[in-house]
Amino acid sequence: MKRRSYMLIGFFLSLLLTIVPLSGNFTNAATPTAAAPVSAVSFTQGVQKNVLENGLTVLTKEVHTAPVVSVQVWYKVGSRNEVKGENGISHQLEHLMFKGTNERPVQFGRLFSALGSQFNAFTSYDETAYFGTVQRDKLEALLTLEADRMENSLIGPEQLKSEKRVVISELQGYENSPGYRLSRAVMRAAFPNRAYGLSVGGTKADVEKFTVEQVRNYYQTYYSPENATLVITGDFATEPVLKVVKETFGKVSQRAKKNIRRAIDNSSDASLSNPVAKKVPIVLKQPGSAALLQAVYPLPDIKHPDVPVIDVMDAILTGGRSSRLYQALVESGLASSVSGGAAELIEPGWYEINATAAPGQEVGKIAQVLQESLAKLQQQPVTLEELNRAKTQLQASYILGNQDITSQANQLGYNQTIAGDYHFIERYLAAIAKVTPAQVQQAAKTYLNPAQQTIGFFEPTQPDGQPGASSAGSGRTVENFSPGKPVDPAELAKYLPPATSETDSNKQSLPEEFTLNNGLKVLLLRDRNLPTINLSGQIDAGTEFDGNQKAGLANLTASNLMNGTQTKNALTLAKTLEDLGADLNFSASREGVNVSGEGLSANLPILIQTLADVLKNATFPADQLELSRQRALTSLKVKLDDPSGLGREVFQQAIYPENHPFHSFPTAESLKTISRNDLLNFYQTHYRPDTTTIAIVGDFDSVKVKALLNQVFGKWQATGKPPVLKIPTVALPQTLTQLNKVIPGKSEAVTYIGYNGISRKDPRFYAALVLNQILGGDTLASRLGTEVRDRQGLTYGIYSGFAAGINPGPFLIQMQTAPDDAQKAIASTLALLKQLREQGVTEAEFNTAKRSITNSYPVDLANPSNVSSIILDNAVLGLSRSEIREFPQRIQAVTMADMQKAIEDLIKPENLVIVTAGPGDSVTKGS
């Protein structure tokens, strides 16, 4: 089970190099009373609905917790509306909506970036949505831009040609995933005559054939005000904003209303009744890493009264470690992971279960145990304990998932577009509270019918997920390429709607900071806006302490913390949190173990007590260690079979020598040699109060929290001084080095370009951030994005970044390309780096980049989960408490002289390491 996901597939622009993947298992925080509807938060209180004369639905919700606003436009069109031969046209149009308008013939990503907007878009089965979150003074500008592209988008031959290449690159990237290929085959078999059976992103064959007229007609048909919902949430006054909405969106005319019926024509085959004859399992035998299973069952549409019951059933089956399928499949050692989720849509949808086999386990056996678990659910009522836990998880996931205004707007837009009423969430949660054991049992009988199941197996043909041979080259394709001139921000400014600049983080509250007698550092920041708690922590026990022989030790230690303490076993620990919907996770990174927790504020004591228990009293049971080792081996196989995972490892090891802590990566051999004693020794050596920092943001009483922290952590003591690593200095490569890794069966290549960079406390850091914003900080607004993605269409995404931690981390550029385009994209990138080195940046570019960073910073601060991470990171990195307030001023203080020095010191095109991983034909040309 996972939080209801709005963005099923699409055009994700906000990807960061340091992004943390979301866990597939659902463990969110919740209300202490499961049987009653959530009353602590009203999701629709204060929402006003207006319908303009042209049919546009407008939802406004004033939220005055931070000086930011979110603007979203939801169009009721997705892959459900596509007919034969045009699979993917909704997604293709979504891409084209960023290419400019008649009045503003420029990349809209640059306009949004100049405003400091955190923006994105996605296409799904029933909807396509565009959203941006900005400082409140940019609201009118954002409304102007969205209204403009609702009616005047440029859809011409030039735009379509370049964006087709980008979409195909995106689709080929999905093809690298065995899970994607399995899902596509299963869905086609489950819904052979329905649009839901086709991939949202489309097929390469259909995309290649799209004509300008075809896409324009689609735009004219569906991007009409009466088929859209505008959502505005945040710090604004409703009446003046509605006036602006009428002045901007009110001018957009209705178009092609009669053609909207195409949305309904596909539903004639949307009944729940599939043929009763049992289907033969789909088996894909292809190159890959781990064996996979996917099972799909048809469901009713989102308005069906069984929807809340189905979601409770899903939580019982896959909601966290205590769930039935986790216990039956993962705790038994059959599977490395299991997840589930219901797609409840405008037309009848489906329920799906996904599992990854543990090493040496057969998917057929997993399918058998899965069926036994589902049969048990059909034969016996669930316990009240299970039922209440599932309700609590579901109810609270909505509170935790709506802590920021972007998510609140998402919730409103989704419910209005898919369910036809933004009040849907209130009725849904009220219904969740009333679900009975008998209803869950009946839902299992009705919807988990083996005769209606479509099941597929992915069986990898490639032994052990080992990558193919590698080769090295000199990158000789560089000389012929000449990049275009950088985009002139002054030219761009002509198309920007007026907006004032009012960045003011001086009002940001500073955390209270104190240290317990044992050396444990604590930061507390009270935020009474929501009844939630966000906890972030770091322990100096990261993978830098592994060494090559025991690579993987830090991660195995962190992942086993929740497997038992002196008083609780793994299941008891899981239930302690999941009964309340609270969540606590540990994961090792290079420079520390990351702790993340969330829950409702009433459950803060349980969260802190559980954290203290595992940090002081973990026992590392041998049987759980073996299970986690098998999961680590599966993850390793999957990573080595993924061009981005393998490419990053090869890149990192090419930069850092064997004696450097950043060189080590787990291998099958190193993981197999790690013993329980190794974990215990690592735990006793590195898990210490004086190397632990905890940050808590939320609704709490500081005096009570301090008392609790002293009570539960006070007896945790460390002896001697903590271990300290001497990190060797890393020189840049003497020459440009190109390495290539072949992974059989892949369709898209991933390339990393870079070298060792700087630390966070390097005096050049702020200049480096501004420099990076210009170079590749945004895939649509940067020089790299403008040239390699937008003009040439060579990549779906290209980004650059400085991984600046306590120690210098890599400067790197990452991109995904079609195999034939890899060398062209590399050549373009190198030419851009040389251009930057030789010509520098313009004053206008420089000022625009600074504004973009400082204007978007208040949006980061509007999310309490982000604030918790920011104040923790600042403390761990040795920065002052006031850094959270002063960061924009430090960016603004960067001078052109600072920028020039950063370019001279940090941009070295002749010393690059270039690593490309992917299919064989992507890594040989030009080598």
Side-chain angles (χ1 to χ4, degrees), residues 364-592:
K365 175 65 174 171
I366 293 175
Q368 179 190 331
V369 175
L370 169 63
Q371 191 49 54
E372 289 167 2
S373 299
L374 300 185
K376 186 179 176 185
L377 191 64
Q378 293 165 333
Q379 291 155 10
Q380 300 169 12
V382 298
T383 66
L384 282 176
E385 179 193 3
E386 284 180 295
L387 184 70
N388 285 336
R389 184 183 307 126
K391 290 180 180 183
T392 302
Q393 287 180 331
L394 275 168
Q395 290 171 335
S397 74
Y398 281 92
I399 294 178
L400 288 159
N402 280 278
Q403 292 188 84
D404 60 283
I405 62 155
T406 304
S407 301
Q408 290 176 43
N410 251 316
Q411 184 78 60
L412 294 170
Y414 182 85
N415 287 336
Q416 183 65 35
T417 305
I418 310 306
D421 182 3
Y422 70 90
H423 286 292
F424 173 81
I425 178 66
E426 311 283 5
R427 295 195 302 273
Y428 169 83
L429 289 172
I432 290 284
K434 295 174 184 171
V435 172
T436 66
Q439 286 176 309
V440 174
Q441 186 180 6
Q442 186 56 49
K445 287 178 182 175
T446 304
Y447 301 112
L448 302 180
N449 182 349
Q452 293 185 328
Q453 178 197 69
T454 306
I455 193 165
F457 305 140
F458 179 87
E459 298 179 355
T461 57
Q462 192 179 330
D464 300 323
Q466 289 298 321
S470 63
S471 61
S474 60
R476 287 189 302 255
T477 54
V478 175
E479 284 72 30
N480 303 331
F481 184 80
S482 177
K485 284 187 177 179
V487 174
D488 181 3
E491 182 69 17
L492 197 66
K494 294 192 308 194
Y495 304 114
L496 271 174
T500 58
S501 184
E502 60 161 41
T503 303
D504 180 15
S505 54
N506 286 329
K507 295 175 184 171
Q508 170 62 43
S509 301
L510 298 183
E512 182 183 358
E513 186 177 320
F514 57 93
T515 303
L516 304 187
N517 290 335
N518 57 10
L520 189 148
K521 187 183 285 186
V522 181
L523 298 113
L524 298 179
L525 185 59
R526 192 173 183 184
D527 180 351
R528 306 210 65 180
N529 291 312
L530 284 168
T532 58
I533 293 296
N534 292 274
L535 183 150
S536 299
Q538 182 161 317
I539 305 147
D540 295 347
T543 63
E544 63 186 1
F545 290 108
D546 274 357
N548 294 321
Q549 301 307 308
K550 297 288 183 181
L553 174 57
N555 241 317
L556 274 181
T557 306
S559 64
N560 275 272
L561 287 172
M562 295 291 288
N563 283 338
T565 65
Q566 290 165 14
T567 55
K568 292 177 178 173
N569 64 18
L571 184 57
T572 306
L573 279 171
K575 285 181 177 178
T576 299
L577 296 171
E578 289 169 10
D579 283 352
L580 304 171
D583 185 22
L584 185 61
N585 289 301
F586 301 86
S587 62
S589 62
R590 279 286 166 207
E591 295 185 327

Side-chain angles (χ1 to χ4, degrees), residues 317-398:
L317 285 172
T318 66
R321 188 168 190 168
S322 60
S323 66
R324 291 195 176 194
L325 291 184
Y326 191 97
Q327 289 294 312
L329 296 175
V330 181
E331 292 287 357
S332 69
L334 283 172
S336 287
S337 65
V338 64
S339 62
E344 292 141 348
L345 306 168
I346 291 176
E347 293 173 16
W350 64 92
Y351 180 65
E352 71 177 70
I353 297 169
N354 296 281
T356 302
Q361 298 293 340
E362 298 291 327
V363 281
K365 175 65 174 171
I366 293 175
Q368 179 190 331
V369 175
L370 169 63
Q371 191 49 54
E372 289 167 2
S373 299
L374 300 185
K376 186 179 176 185
L377 191 64
Q378 293 165 333
Q379 291 155 10
Q380 300 169 12
V382 298
T383 66
L384 282 176
E385 179 193 3
E386 284 180 295
L387 184 70
N388 285 336
R389 184 183 307 126
K391 290 180 180 183
T392 302
Q393 287 180 331
L394 275 168
Q395 290 171 335
S397 74
Y398 281 92

Side-chain angles (χ1 to χ4, degrees), residues 42 64 165 188 204 210 234 318 353 414 477 498 539 563 707 734 739 808 913 918 925:
S42 172
H64 300 290
R165 290 189 73 175
R188 279 179 179 170
K204 183 180 176 183
F210 290 153
T318 66
I353 297 169
Y414 182 85
T477 54
I539 305 147
N563 283 338
Q734 292 299 303
L739 302 170
V913 171
K925 294 172 186 175

Side-chain angles (χ1 to χ4, degrees), residues 82-89 198 203 205-207 209-210 214:
E82 296 165 3
V83 297
K84 189 174 181 182
E86 61 177 33
N87 181 212
I89 195 168
L198 300 173
T203 63
D206 279 3
V207 170
K209 291 179 199 159
F210 290 153
Q214 202 178 0

Side-chain angles (χ1 to χ4, degrees), residues 46-54 56-62 71 139-140 143 230-233 236-251:
V47 177
Q48 283 193 32
K49 178 181 175 182
N50 287 274
V51 179
L52 304 189
E53 288 182 11
N54 59 8
L56 178 71
T57 298
V58 183
L59 301 178
T60 54
K61 181 182 182 182
E62 293 185 29
V71 172
L139 171 57
E140 189 169 336
L143 291 170
L230 168 66
V231 186
I232 309 167
T233 56
F236 63 91
T238 303
E239 289 311 313
V241 164
L242 282 177
K243 187 181 174 194
V244 175
V245 168
K246 286 169 185 168
E247 289 168 358
T248 51
F249 284 91
K251 297 173 184 174

Side-chain angles (χ1 to χ4, degrees), residues 100-151:
T101 65
N102 298 323
E103 285 188 19
R104 295 179 174 87
V106 291
Q107 167 56 256
F108 262 45
R110 289 187 213 119
L111 298 176
F112 293 137
S113 182
L115 291 171
S117 175
Q118 293 190 6
F119 65 98
N120 216 320
F122 70 89
T123 304
S124 190
Y125 297 96
D126 293 335
E127 77 276 19
T128 308
Y130 303 83
F131 45 101
T133 303
V134 292
Q135 287 188 98
R136 60 189 167 205
D137 62 305
K138 311 295 189 302
L139 171 57
E140 189 169 336
L142 220 48
L143 291 170
T144 301
L145 292 174
E146 288 295 355
D148 188 16
R149 66 174 173 174
M150 179 180 277
E151 187 166 40

